[in-house]
Amino acid sequence: MVRTPLTPEERERGERLGRMLREARGSRSMVEVAAAAHLSAETLRKIETGRAPTPAFFTVAALAGALGLSMDEIVTRCALVPV
């Protein structure tokens, strides 16, 4: 199965998500947050750096819970914006 290339808007949304997660993580280590969300640190690293710009809903929800973010806030801050 071939994956459709991401649009510039989708890439930008992934970068905004990554920045927001890094800000919310603060001084906590990537390993600590990933473990709290039941994810690998590598998965979190890819999301934070924009290498995984379209993570699964349940991955985002797990990170939101571990970081004390609301899904509403994530949706609002990471909505698609034309580039």
Side-chain angles (χ1 to χ4, degrees), residues 46-65:
K46 286 180 180 177
I47 295 168
E48 284 190 358
T49 60
R51 287 190 50 223
T54 58
F57 172 81
F58 293 105
T59 300
V60 176
L63 286 167

Side-chain angles (χ1 to χ4, degrees), residues 12-57:
E12 171 60 28
R13 179 179 57 189
E15 290 171 7
R16 282 196 314 273
L17 174 63
R19 283 191 300 270
M20 183 172 68
L21 295 175
R22 275 193 308 276
E23 287 173 14
R25 183 164 58 85
S27 64
R28 294 171 65 186
S29 76
M30 196 175 284
V31 172
E32 177 185 350
V33 171
H38 303 286
L39 302 170
S40 71
E42 179 65 12
T43 296
L44 179 55
R45 186 183 67 72
K46 286 180 180 177
I47 295 168
E48 284 190 358
T49 60
R51 287 190 50 223
T54 58
F57 172 81

